[in-house]
Amino acid sequence: MKRFIGFIKKEFYHIFRDRRSLFILFGMPIAQIMLFGFAITNEINNVDIAVLDHSKDATTKEIINKISTSKYFSINQFIDREADIETIFKKGKVKAVLNFEEGFSKNLIKNNKATIQIITDATDPNTANTISNYVNAILQQYQKGLNKHITIAYQIVPETRMVYNPELKSVYMFVPGVMTIILMLVSAMMTSISITREKELGTMEILLVSPIKPIQVIIGKVFPYIFLSIINAIVIVVLSIFIFKMPVQGSLFLLAFESVLFIITALALGILISTISATQQTAMMISLMGLMLPVILLSGFIFPISSMPLPLQVISNIIPAKWFIIIIKGIMLKGVGLQYLWKETLILVGMTIFFIGLSVKKYKIRLE
Amino acid sequence: MKIILYIIQKEFKQIFRNKGMLPIIFVLPLLQLVILSNAATFEVKNIKFGYIDNDHTSTSRALVEKFNASTYFNVLTDFPSEALANSSMLKGEVDVLLQIPHYFERDLQKEKHNNLGVTINAIDGAAAGVENVYITQIVQRFNQNIKVDILQVSDKQIQPIAIETIPLFWYNKTLNYKTFMVPGILVLLVTMITLFLSGMNIVREKEIGTLEQINVTPIKKSQFIIGKLFPFWVIGMGLLTVGLILAKVIFNIPIIGSLPLLYLYTSIYILVILGIGLFISNFTNTQQQAMFIAWFFTVIFILMSGLFTPIESMPKWAQTITEFNPIKYFVEVMRMVMLKGSGFMDILPQLLKTLLYAFIMNALAVWSYKKTN
């Protein structure tokens, strides 16, 4: 036991001696969460729209005005010919063109009907679709104003209640996600090189001939990093509560417990990477190239998992980040306790045991 | 010239000797391109839908049937009580909950108007907005049907004014997400590989101590740097090539614009990334530090590139920051050239900025390299 404590002490010294790394380790997550919390949104604002108005009458002017005063759109360009649509799309700035038919106002009075084409640059399908929906909604509002005198019979009106995030803030979606990728990547990267470094620098052999057991070496290596990651997690949670006004509806204690659990899962994964790679470079590449994109794309951080093709939904289950995101959102936004999150918690526990077990096994093989 | 060739030869040998590294450089990125491109969709479908029918009439059943028939909703459960439904929502088994009130049909016939309770899990605000639109559309269509069924002649006399909108989706008629995402993800992979490899490379020699040995040889710094970075440039271009082939063959992504233009841009772009990598190498002592810094910038570059979320929706200060993001320009150029067929003049602004960026980064890198030695 004494020997083990001595080993842990050594590891602590090792980390805290390297001030530059520590500065990077603590500074980066803070900078990232501030940047992303404020900057990233999948809402649509100020999208550039151009207008091709064949009619140029009072009604079209009114509609253009309605659209350009909404916060979603800004109308800066007016074009005169159909051929110009292609040209401005190719430049890339303008995302949609509203094409008013000739005699718009006249048609509306005479036939009770007039047409607008909404031509969108659908290389970005999400933006294209949203633009089209929003323009439609604005026009419907406008239409309602025109049809004030008509009451429509038989109406079922959905009364929608948005729960857990009534203002539809996208920061509620992104803060848990950013928190997860930071904890996941930083933790995994830290431990992934801890053992490979010893191998590469040749100090591993010294460890191997020492009387410390393999499991003790691994625990000793992980231990200091648990501390570092916990401090990181605390900083992130404090920032998200005080700066981004994230609620913590559930128990702060549970949040702390789950964060520690997730940190240990990520560290264990790092250790596993460490035991299977020969050089630091390989270890780094596996943890960076192998984890970054899957964690961003398959965890439900940005893209809804339920919309993915079935095989990918299945694969997403092996991404620890997916379960942690469910847990954080549950605790912070829904305010649920362990009785709702025991399944996710158990999965993380299981993954951790699996990673550690496999690392110990791999590590032993090297001993022989 | 001969010296550079030797260095290049040495570097290539070093890369190809490392058997563990080869699959990471070539297989892992392409595998991710093929698999992960399918994950990146903002389309909202398979919505987990539950309902509480307090009315149990033909009208309420018909309404639920409408949701059932829609491809967006997976109708899961008919909850017997509100408590059970709420608990299911908390567990995350249901994301949209429809509540049909008591006497729904009777009141509808009597008052010609009725309310319907809809609860949406709005943690993902964007998805919740879309779900709301779907629900409104389904209910509206249902309204229309009732009207046709029961409408009296007198109601028909006044025809409402209608502005008809015709949505036209150019360049991607079917709104296929892969068309949008594959070029973007390819950009990421090319960037990550070249940045991580180059960022770690020189610092590794520093850490192991072999850099000093090279420094005492008669080789010039510029020769050394060119020799070091050239192999990664080749790897980046190779990755782009294989990626484009996969994009075409597997995802059938259109490549409308000029390929030479795409290659011209990429060849300059990779210089930017290599410059950044070298710069990072110069300012760090260990591979770990180098990778943390590379990771820090990569995450920022990725999330603020307009790849997943639109740049124009960011606050002004954040948009200013994106001006310094090389990935942003590469994503724009890839999508413009591949999907829209934008030409040289269209991408000239991006090309010039990237060229300037490449010049500045490499100048800085070479300058700082001299200083540390």
Side-chain angles (χ1 to χ4, degrees), chain A residues 131-331:
Chain A
I131 292 172
S132 174
N133 283 339
Y134 284 178
V135 171
N136 250 324
I138 295 172
L139 287 175
Q140 240 160 37
Q141 206 60 38
Y142 181 74
Q143 228 170 274
K144 241 188 218 162
L146 296 180
N147 290 325
K148 256 193 213 123
H149 50 286
I150 303 176
T151 48
I152 297 164
Y154 293 105
Q155 278 281 66
I156 299 170
V157 183
E159 275 194 336
T160 312
R161 205 162 57 95
M162 298 285 187
V163 289
Y164 313 132
N165 177 12
E167 291 160 65
L168 302 185
K169 288 190 197 164
S170 67
V171 71
Y172 284 13
M173 179 78 179
F174 282 110
V175 167
V178 170
M179 190 172 155
T180 308
I181 48 170
I182 291 176
L183 285 183
M184 176 88 206
L185 263 314
V186 170
S187 308
M189 272 160 61
M190 282 193 298
T191 44
S192 72
I193 63 144
S194 60
I195 291 178
T196 31
R197 177 194 263 162
E198 308 252 0
K199 280 188 216 163
E200 204 171 356
L201 297 182
T203 44
M204 194 63 185
E205 270 142 48
I206 301 167
L207 270 183
L208 289 182
V209 295
S210 79
I212 301 174
K213 290 195 197 103
I215 180 85
Q216 286 179 326
V217 171
I218 288 178
I219 293 176
K221 288 254 166 221
V222 173
F223 203 74
Y225 290 116
I226 296 181
F227 265 96
L228 291 180
S229 300
I230 287 175
I231 297 174
N232 254 340
I234 292 173
V235 170
I236 295 172
V237 171
V238 168
L239 285 180
S240 44
I241 293 172
F242 287 101
I243 296 187
F244 300 112
K245 309 283 177 238
M246 287 283 291
V248 184
Q249 310 274 11
S251 139
L252 204 54
F253 178 75
L254 183 63
L255 185 67
F257 164 77
E258 298 281 2
S259 303
V260 172
L261 172 63
F262 180 65
I263 287 167
I264 295 175
T265 313
L267 293 173
L269 181 60
I271 286 287
L272 178 60
I273 295 173
S274 199
T275 51
I276 58 175
S277 26
T279 63
Q280 289 187 67
Q281 200 175 17
T282 320
M284 282 290 180
M285 287 304 276
I286 293 179
S287 51
L288 276 173
M289 283 304 292
L291 294 181
M292 183 133 79
L293 274 190
V295 167
I296 293 179
L297 291 175
L298 284 179
S299 63
F301 163 34
I302 300 180
F303 300 102
I305 293 174
S306 56
S307 300
M308 293 172 194
L310 197 62
L312 279 181
Q313 293 190 30
V314 175
I315 295 176
S316 76
N317 289 329
I318 61 168
I319 309 282
K322 169 189 169 172
W323 304 106
F324 187 56
I325 288 183
I326 296 177
I327 291 172
I328 315 186
K329 285 180 182 165
I331 297 173

Side-chain angles (χ1 to χ4, degrees), chain A residues 20 28 43 89-90 114 116 118 120-123 126 136 147 155-157 159 161 163 165 289 306-307, chain B residues 32 43 46 114 116 118 120 122 143 161-162 164-166 168-170 177 180 283 289 296 313 340 342:
Chain A
R20 199 182 289 190
M28 283 189 322
E43 293 154 22
F89 274 164
K90 279 197 172 155
I116 304 173
I118 309 168
T120 42
D121 172 356
T123 44
N126 186 47
N136 250 324
N147 290 325
Q155 278 281 66
I156 299 170
V157 183
E159 275 194 336
R161 205 162 57 95
V163 289
N165 177 12
M289 283 304 292
S306 56
S307 300
Chain B
Q32 292 194 0
E43 228 177 321
N46 308 324
N114 209 337
L116 197 62
V118 176
I120 299 176
N143 280 336
I161 293 172
E164 196 189 347
T165 52
I166 304 169
L168 294 172
F169 299 110
W170 279 24
Y177 266 87
F180 182 56
F283 275 96
Q289 288 173 359
F296 174 68
S313 303
K340 288 192 266 192
S342 299

Side-chain angles (χ1 to χ4, degrees), chain A residues 18 20-21 24-25 28 31-32 35-36 38-45 63 85-86 89-92 95 104 108 112-126 128 132 136 139 142-143 146-147 150 152-165 168 173 185-186 189-190 193 197 200 280-282 284-286 288-290 292-294 297-298 302-304 306-309 312-313 329 333-334 336 340, chain B residues 21 24 28 32 35-36 38-46 87 89-92 104 108 112-116 118-124 126 128 132 139 142-143 147 150 158-172 175-177 180-181 188-189 192-193 196 200 204 207-208 283-285 287-289 291-293 295-296 298-300 303-304 308-310 312-315 317-318 321 336 339-342 346:
Chain A
D18 183 1
R20 199 182 289 190
S21 291
I24 297 169
L25 227 52
M28 283 189 322
Q32 279 179 340
L35 212 50
F36 299 146
F38 284 119
I40 297 186
T41 164
N42 47 10
E43 293 154 22
I44 290 206
N45 293 313
I63 291 174
I85 301 175
E86 177 106 38
F89 274 164
K90 279 197 172 155
K91 286 216 167 63
K95 300 279 186 258
F104 189 87
L108 207 57
N112 277 344
K113 206 179 124 180
T115 315
I116 304 173
Q117 279 183 340
I118 309 168
I119 304 161
T120 42
D121 172 356
T123 44
D124 178 351
N126 186 47
S132 174
N136 250 324
L139 287 175
Y142 181 74
Q143 228 170 274
L146 296 180
N147 290 325
I150 303 176
I152 297 164
Y154 293 105
Q155 278 281 66
I156 299 170
V157 183
E159 275 194 336
T160 312
R161 205 162 57 95
M162 298 285 187
V163 289
Y164 313 132
N165 177 12
L168 302 185
M173 179 78 179
L185 263 314
V186 170
M189 272 160 61
M190 282 193 298
I193 63 144
R197 177 194 263 162
E200 204 171 356
Q280 289 187 67
Q281 200 175 17
T282 320
M284 282 290 180
M285 287 304 276
I286 293 179
L288 276 173
M289 283 304 292
M292 183 133 79
L293 274 190
L297 291 175
L298 284 179
I302 300 180
F303 300 102
S306 56
S307 300
M308 293 172 194
L312 279 181
Q313 293 190 30
K329 285 180 182 165
L333 301 170
K334 291 184 176 179
V336 293
Y340 286 99
Chain B
M21 229 23 197
I24 298 172
L28 193 65
Q32 292 194 0
I35 295 175
L36 294 178
N38 291 294
T41 171
F42 274 117
E43 228 177 321
V44 181
K45 50 187 186 185
N46 308 324
S87 136
M89 189 118 184
L90 282 174
K91 271 186 209 147
F104 176 70
L108 186 64
K112 298 189 174 181
H113 186 94
N114 209 337
N115 286 347
L116 197 62
V118 176
T119 311
I120 299 176
N121 169 10
I123 290 177
D124 183 348
N132 194 19
V139 173
F142 190 71
N143 280 336
K147 261 183 265 166
I150 332 181
I158 323 159
Q159 208 190 14
I161 293 172
I163 298 171
E164 196 189 347
T165 52
I166 304 169
L168 294 172
F169 299 110
W170 279 24
Y171 308 115
N172 185 0
L175 297 182
N176 184 348
Y177 266 87
F180 182 56
M181 281 301 171
L188 286 193
L189 295 168
M192 283 161 73
I193 283 283
F196 296 159
M200 259 188 298
R204 175 162 189 268
E207 202 173 358
I208 300 177
F283 275 96
T284 45
N285 311 324
Q287 292 178 67
Q288 192 179 26
Q289 288 173 359
M291 277 307 93
F292 272 125
I293 293 181
W295 172 78
F296 174 68
T298 315
V299 174
I300 293 178
L303 292 182
M304 297 184 76
F308 301 129
T309 60
E312 59 266 24
S313 303
M314 295 176 186
W317 61 267
I321 292 178
M336 285 165 78
L339 308 180
K340 288 192 266 192
S342 299
D346 296 316

Side-chain angles (χ1 to χ4, degrees), chain B residues 128-198:
Chain B
V130 175
E131 282 158 9
N132 194 19
V133 171
Y134 290 160
I135 294 165
T136 316
Q137 279 170 357
I138 290 178
V139 173
Q140 248 166 23
R141 231 170 299 140
F142 190 71
N143 280 336
Q144 228 105 54
N145 285 353
I146 319 179
K147 261 183 265 166
V148 175
D149 287 348
I150 332 181
L151 207 62
Q152 273 111 41
V153 193
S154 61
D155 292 340
K156 266 190 183 161
Q157 281 165 351
I158 323 159
Q159 208 190 14
I161 293 172
I163 298 171
E164 196 189 347
T165 52
I166 304 169
L168 294 172
F169 299 110
W170 279 24
Y171 308 115
N172 185 0
K173 285 194 187 66
T174 53
L175 297 182
N176 184 348
Y177 266 87
K178 279 164 222 145
T179 308
F180 182 56
M181 281 301 171
V182 171
I185 291 178
L186 183 55
V187 163
L188 286 193
L189 295 168
V190 169
T191 308
M192 283 161 73
I193 283 283
T194 43
L195 179 63
F196 296 159
L197 286 178
S198 65

